[in-house]
C-alpha cells in the first residue's frame, strides 16, 4: 500500500494544563489530536500516580498529534512555548500514514 | 462534653481511623489503592450530597438576612487569609515569593472534606447549623486564588502570567471548576426541591453518607501518605509548623466574626473550620495554571499531609469547643 | 392531579433538575465530569435494578396472558415506528436515506432511562404498573435496528453492508448487547427469587435508586450538553422539530393499543413512554456497526439532546395524563 | 433445614444466580462488562465491610481465648493444605512441579468472596459466628504461598527465584497486599470503634451489602466465564476433578479441628468454608511474582472457573450441613 | 543486545467496531495485538471524549500490532479495508524488538 | 527547532510485576519513566482484558523510558533480564526530543 511520511508529536503534560494545550491546538492549524491516558511515572519532579487522585492535580496526560513534516516547526514552537512553563516533555517520531492528504 | 472528651471521641471515630489506615498503608508501601475513577466519583458524591443538604436546610429555614452577611465575611476571609499566610511564610521560612503565594492560596481557600467531617462532629454533638454555610464554603474557594496571584505578581512581575493567559480566563476556569459547579448546583436543587426532594433521595445522600466519607478518607490517607513519603524532604520544620499553627490563626480571624454575624454554635464551628481548612483539590489544580513555577510537592504535601490530618484529628474538636464558648 | 400540576411538579423534581444542571455545566464549559467507569457502572446498576424489580412484580402477579400480547405489540411498534419516522424525516428534512434510516432506528427503539424516569412519576402518582413492561422494554430494543437496516438497504443497496458483515452477525451482536443481557437476566433472577430475593437486596436496588438516577441524569445532562455544543449545527430546524413532534406520533400509536391490550393506567403511561422514547445508548453503538456511513453527530444529538430532555420534562407527564384519560 | 433444602434455596438465591448470569453472558460472548475501576472498588468495599463487621463482633464479645487458637489452626491449615494438594495433583494429573505448586498455593489460601457468601448463608440459617474468623481469614492468605514456594524450590531448585528476588521481599509484598491491609485495617477499626462505629456506618456497609455482593458476583461470573472460554483446554479431566474433590479434602481437615477449637455452628461452617475455598485474587498475583514460570491459565481457570462456582453453589450448603452435625 | 527490525501498526478506531477489528486480526496471521485506551480527541468528525459515556458509542480505542516487515502489507490491506468504513486512522512506524522470532 | 535523537524503550509487562520493573528502573541510571495503561490484547499466552478484574493478576501495563542512545544497552540488559522471566515484550524506537540534556 502507498504510504506517506508524517511526524508524530507526543506531549506528556501535567493534567491541569490539558485544556490549555488543546485550546492552543484548536487555534493552530492541525487537523486533529488524540488524548491518551497515563497512569504514573517518575522524573525530575519525583514520582506520581493517578491512583486515588480526586482531581487533575498531580496527574499527567499525553496528547498525540500527527502533522505533515513541513508543518512540524509551526506546531512545535507554540506547543513547546506552552509546555516549557509546565511539567511536561515533548517527543517527536516518524510515522507513515495511508491517507496522507488528511494530515 | 469537654474538649478533651471531644478530641478523644473524634480520634476514635471511623472517619479519622480510616484516614490513618490510608496513611499507614502508604507508608508501608502497600499496594492498597482506590481506583482514580472511584475517587473522583466519591468526591462528586460528597459534594453533591453536602450541597443538596445545605439547600434543603435553606429551603426549610427560609432566606436569612445573615446569609448575605456571612457570604460577604467568607469572601473577605478568603481574600485576607492568604495575605496573612504569605506574611507568615516569608517571615518564618525560606520559601521564595512564588512558592509562598501558592501555599498561601491553599489556606485562604477551603477543604470541603474538612467541612464535611466537621458537620459530622457538629451533628454528633446534637447541634444544628445554618444550611447556607454550604454557599459560604462555595464562595470561599476562589478569592484566595486571586489574592495569591496578586501577591505573586507584585513580588515577581514576570511570574504567574503566561504569554497568553490573563487573570480573566483563569478566573473563569476556576469559577466553572467542577467541584464548585456541583456544590452550587446541588445546593440550588436542594433549595428548589426542599423536603420533597430530600425525601426522594435521602436514602442515597444521607443514609450511606458517613460510610462513603470513610472510604473517601481512606483514599485521602493513601494520597497524603504517598505525598508525605515523596514530599517530606521538601518541608522544612518552620513550614511544617506553619501547617499547624496557621490554621489556628485563620480560625481566630473567623472566630472574631462569629458574634457579629450571629451564627449558631454549630454554624460557628463550621465557619471557623472553613477558615482553618486548606484546599487540596481545587486550589492545587488552579495553582498549576496560575503559578506553574511553584513547586507542587510543597503545597500539596503541606496542605494534605500536614494541615488536613491536623484539622481532622485535633483542629475540628478545638474549633467546636471554641464555638461553644463564644456562640454558646 | 391536573396535567399542568404534573408537569410543574415534574420540572421541579431533583431528577429533571440534575439533568438540567448537567446541561448547564456543559454549556458553561465546566470541567465537571463523571468518570467513564462510574457512568458505565451507574448504567449497569439502573438496568439491573429495573430488571430485577420487574421480575419480582411478575413473580408476585403471576403470568398474565396480556404479557405475551403486550410483548408482541412492543415488537410491532418497534418495527413500525422507524418506518413512520423515516417517512417523516424524508418528507420534512434534507437528510439522506442512510442518515434518515439511522435516526429512525433510534425512535423505534427505547430509552431505558426515560422508562425509569416514567416509573418514578407513575409511582409518584400512586399508580402501579405491570412488571412485565420491563420485558416489553427489552424486546423493543432490537426490531427497530432491523427495520432501519432494511430501509437503508432498499434506499442505498451498497450501504449498511460491509464486505464481511451480514445481518446475522449484527443481530447476534445486538441481541447479546450488555444492556439487554443485564436487563433480561436481572428480570429473570427477580422472577425466580421473587419477594425473598427482593427482601435481600432491596436496600441496594430500591432505596438509593432515585438518588443514583439523579447522578446518572446529571451525567446524561453533561453528555447531552457537550453533544449540543458540538452537534447543534448539524441539526436543521425541521430536524429539531422532528425530535419533538415525532415522539408524540409514536406515543399516539402506542396509545391506540392501550385499551385492546388492557393495560392499567400506570402500565399505559409506561407503554406509551416506551414508544415515545428514543434510544441513545444501545442503538447509537449498533448504528456505528450497521450504518457506519451515517453521521453520529446527527442521531446522537437529536436523540439525547432534543428528544430525551423533551420526554423527561414535558413528555412523560403528558403521556401519564393521556394514560389516565384512556385507561383510567 | 435439610441439606437438600439448603442447597436448593442457595441455588435459587440472587447471589448464585447473578454469578450464573455472568458466566452465561461471557459464554454467549456478550459485551456485558463491569468496568475495571468498579470491580476494584466493589472488592475494596466487600473487604472493608466484612473486616469492619468482624471487628465490631469481636468488640462486642470481648477477646476470646479461642481466637488465638483458631488463628493458629488457620495458619497450620493454610500451610498444610498446599502440601496435600501438591501430592494429589502430582499423583493424579500430568502437571509439572511448578504448575502443581502454584495450583496448590491457591487452595491453601482463601477466597474472601466465598467466605462472604458463606456468612450470608449462615445468617440466613439464623446462626451467629465468631467475629474473629475475619482475622483467621486474613492470616490464612499467606502461609500457603510460602508452602508452595518451598515445594517448587525443592522440586526445581532453579525455579521460583529470580536473580534478585528472595523469599523475603516476596513475603513483604504479599503481606502488604492491599486486600490484606484493608481487611485487617477495617477489622481493627471495627474493633476499636465497636457498636458506636457500626451505628455510624451501617447504612453503608450493612444494608446494601448483599446487593453489592450480587453485583460483584456478576462480575466474577463474567471473569470466570471468560476464563473458562479461554482456559478450558488447559484443564484435563483429572484437574477439573481436583478442583471439585480437593475442597472436600480441605474441608475435612478443617472439620476435624472444629470440636477441639470449640467453634459455634456458624463459626464452624465458616472455618470449614475458609479451608475449602481457593484464592483467586491475592494468590494469582503473588504467583506471577513467585513462580512466573507457572501457567496462569491453569490456576486461574481452576480456582475461579471450577472451585469457586462449586463452593458457591453446592459446597457452602454442604459445609454448613456438616457444621450443624459436628458442632450443633 | 541484538535487535530485530519490525513494523508497528497502530489503529485508532471507533470503539463500537473494536470487536470487528480484533476478530479480523484473529483471522489474519498475526502473533498478537494490544488494545490501548484513548480518552479524547479531535478530528474531521469533531471533538470527542470518553468522559461520562455509558457505552462504547462516541468513544475510540487504539489497537497496536507488531508485525514482521514482510507481513506488513498482508495485514495492512484487510485492516485498512475495515477501517475505511469507520471513523479511524492507521499509522505505521518502525520498532526494534529483541526476540525477533516471536513476531 | 533543534532536536536531539534518543531511544524510547517500551516494556509491555504483566501488571503484578510492574513494581519490580519500576524498582529496577529506580536502581538503574534513567532520568525517568512513564507508566501507560493497556486494556487488553492477545499473544501466545492467549487473550486477556482488564474488564472486571478485581486485582492486577491477568492484566498488563506498559512502561516507556526515554534514554540517550549510549545508555540504551546499559538499561536494556537488566530490563530484558527481568522481562524474560515474565509475560511481556520489549520494543525500542527512535524519538527526537527538544531538551536533549534532560535524558
Ligand atoms: N526519561 C523519561 N522517560 C520516560 N518518561 C519520562 C522521562 N522523564 C520524565 N518522564 C515523564 O515525565 C514526567 C515529568 O518529568 P519531570 O519533569 O522530569 O518530572 C515524569 O513523571 C514521567 O512521567
Ligand atoms: N492529526 C491528528 N493527530 C492525532 N490524532 C488525530 C488526528 N486526526 C484525527 N485524529 C484522531 O482520530 C479521531 C478521528 O479522526 P477524524 O476521522 O478526522 O474525526 C480524532 O477524534 C482524533 O482522536
Ligand atoms: N505481535 C504483537 N503485537 C502487539 N502486541 C502483542 C503482540 N504479541 C503480543 N503482544 C502483547 O503482549 C501480550 C503478551 O504476549 P504473549 O507473551 O505472546 O502472550 C499480549 O497479550 C499482547 O497484549
Ligand atoms: Na481556609
Ligand atoms: Na421508541
Ligand atoms: Na483454602
Amino acid at each position: 500500500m502507498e504510504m506517506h511520511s508524517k511526524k508524530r508529536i507526543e506531549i506528556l503534560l501535567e493534567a491541569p494544563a490539558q485544556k490549555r494545550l488543546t485550546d492552543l491546538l484548536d487555534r493552530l492549524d492541525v487537523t486533529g489530536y488524540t488524548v491518551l491516558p497515563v497512569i504514573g511515572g517518575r522524573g525530575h519532579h519525583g514520582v506520581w500516580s493517578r491512583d486515588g487522585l480526586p482531581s487533575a492535580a498531580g496527574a499527567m496526560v499525553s496528547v498525540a498529534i500527527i502533522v505533515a513534516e513541513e508543518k512540524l516547526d509551526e506546531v512545535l514552537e507554540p506547543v513547546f512555548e506552552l509546555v516549557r512553563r509546565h511539567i511536561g516533555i515533548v517527543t517527536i517520531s516518524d510515522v507513515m500514514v495511508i491517507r496522507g492528504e488528511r494530515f | 462534653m469537654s474538649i478533651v472528651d471531644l478530641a478523644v471521641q473524634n480520634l476514635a471515630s471511623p472517619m479519622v481511623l480510616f484516614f490513618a489506615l490510608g496513611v499507614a498503608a502508604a507508608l508501608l508501601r502497600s499496594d492498597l489503592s482506590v481506583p482514580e475513577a472511584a475517587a473522583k466519583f466519591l468526591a462528586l458524591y460528597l459534594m453533591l450530597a453536602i450541597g443538596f443538604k445545605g439547600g434543603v436546610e435553606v429551603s426549610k429555614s427560609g432566606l436569612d438576612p445573615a446569609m448575605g452577611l456571612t457570604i460577604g465575611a467568607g469572601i473577605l476571609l478568603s481574600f485576607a487569609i492568604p495575605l496573612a499566610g504569605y506574611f507568615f511564610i516569608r517571615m518564618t521560612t525560606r520559601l521564595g515569593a512564588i512558592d509562598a503565594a501558592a501555599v498561601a492560596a491553599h489556606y485562604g481557600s477551603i477543604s470541603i472534606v474538612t467541612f464535611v467531617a466537621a458537620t459530622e462532629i457538629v451533628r454528633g454533638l446534637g447541634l444544628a447549623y445554618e444550611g447556607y454555610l454550604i454557599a459560604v464554603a462555595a464562595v470561599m474557594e476562589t478569592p484566595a486564588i486571586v489574592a495569591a496571584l496578586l501577591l505573586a505578581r507584585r513580588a515577581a512581575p514576570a511570574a504567574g502570567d503566561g504569554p497568553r493567559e490573563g487573570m480573566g480566563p483563569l478566573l473563569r476556569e476556576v469559577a466553572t471548576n467542577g467541584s464548585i459547579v456541583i456544590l452550587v448546583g446541588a445546593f440550588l436543587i436542594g433549595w428548589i426541591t426542599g423536603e420533597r426532594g430530600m425525601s426522594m433521595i435521602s436514602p442515597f445522600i444521607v443514609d450511606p453518607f458517613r460510610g462513603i466519607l470513610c472510604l473517601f478518607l481512606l483514599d485521602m490517607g493513601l494520597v497524603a501518605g504517598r505525598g508525605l513519603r515523596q514530599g517530606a524532604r521538601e518541608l522544612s520544620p518552620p513550614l511544617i509548623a506553619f501547617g499547624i499553627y496557621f490554621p489556628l490563626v485563620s480560625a481566630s480571624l473567623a472566630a472574631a466574626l462569629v458574634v457579629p454575624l450571629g451564627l449558631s454554635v454549630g454554624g460557628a464551628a463550621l465557619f471557623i473550620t472553613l477558615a482553618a481548612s486548606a484546599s487540596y483539590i481545587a486550589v492545587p489544580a488552579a495553582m498549576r495554571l496560575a503559578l506553574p513555577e511553584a513547586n507542587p510537592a510543597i503545597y500539596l504535601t503541606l496542605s494534605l499531609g500536614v494541615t488536613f490530618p491536623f484539622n481532622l484529628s485535633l483542629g475540628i474538636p478545638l474549633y467546636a469547643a471554641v464555638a461553644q464558648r463564644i456562640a454558646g
Side-chain angles (χ1 to χ4, degrees), chain B residues 241-269:
Chain B
F242 174 87
I244 291 174
Y245 72 74
F246 191 68
L248 304 178
V249 176
S250 309
S252 311
L253 293 177
L257 297 171
V258 157
V259 175
L261 291 171
L263 289 168
S264 68
V265 174

Side-chain angles (χ1 to χ4, degrees), chain B residues 81 106-111 140 250 273-279:
Chain B
I81 289 171
H106 290 71
Y107 288 82
S109 184
I110 58 110
S111 149
M140 287 180 76
S250 309
T273 299
L274 281 176
S277 74
S279 170

Side-chain angles (χ1 to χ4, degrees), chain B residues 112-174:
Chain B
I112 270 293
V113 179
T114 309
F115 178 80
V116 159
T119 62
E120 290 300 322
I121 292 184
V122 162
R123 202 176 307 165
L125 290 170
L127 300 171
Y129 61 89
E130 289 80 1
Y132 60 70
L133 282 167
I134 308 298
V136 177
V139 299
M140 287 180 76
E141 295 228 30
T142 320
I145 296 169
V146 180
L149 225 62
L150 295 178
L151 284 167
R153 285 186 186 178
R154 217 195 40 134
D161 204 9
R164 270 173 303 271
E165 283 284 335
M167 183 85 95
L170 182 73
L171 284 185
R172 204 178 169 291
E173 222 159 7
V174 171

Side-chain angles (χ1 to χ4, degrees), chain A residues 15-77:
Chain A
Q18 177 187 336
K19 194 154 156 290
R20 241 177 225 188
L21 175 61
T22 54
D23 282 355
L24 171 65
L25 294 178
D26 289 345
R27 286 194 301 272
L28 295 176
D29 182 26
V30 300
T31 57
Y33 58 81
T34 299
V35 186
L36 308 164
V38 194
I39 52 183
R42 181 170 65 76
H44 301 98
H45 289 87
V47 184
W48 66 275
S49 160
R50 282 228 164 212
D51 265 351
L53 295 186
S55 82
M60 305 197 79
V61 286
S62 178
V63 176
I65 316 158
I66 296 165
V67 291
E69 207 143 340
E70 54 278 16
K71 277 206 268 175
L72 180 62
D73 269 357
E74 200 178 305
V75 174
L76 215 46
E77 260 169 55

Side-chain angles (χ1 to χ4, degrees), chain B residues 5 15 20-21 36 40 42 47 51 59 67 119 129 141 143 153 159 172 194 232 262 271 285 295 317 323:
Chain B
D5 290 349
M15 287 166 301
L21 175 61
E36 182 196 4
K40 292 213 160 96
L42 294 177
M47 278 175 304
S59 90
M67 176 170 165
T119 62
Y129 61 89
E141 295 228 30
R153 285 186 186 178
R172 204 178 169 291
F271 185 66
N295 181 353

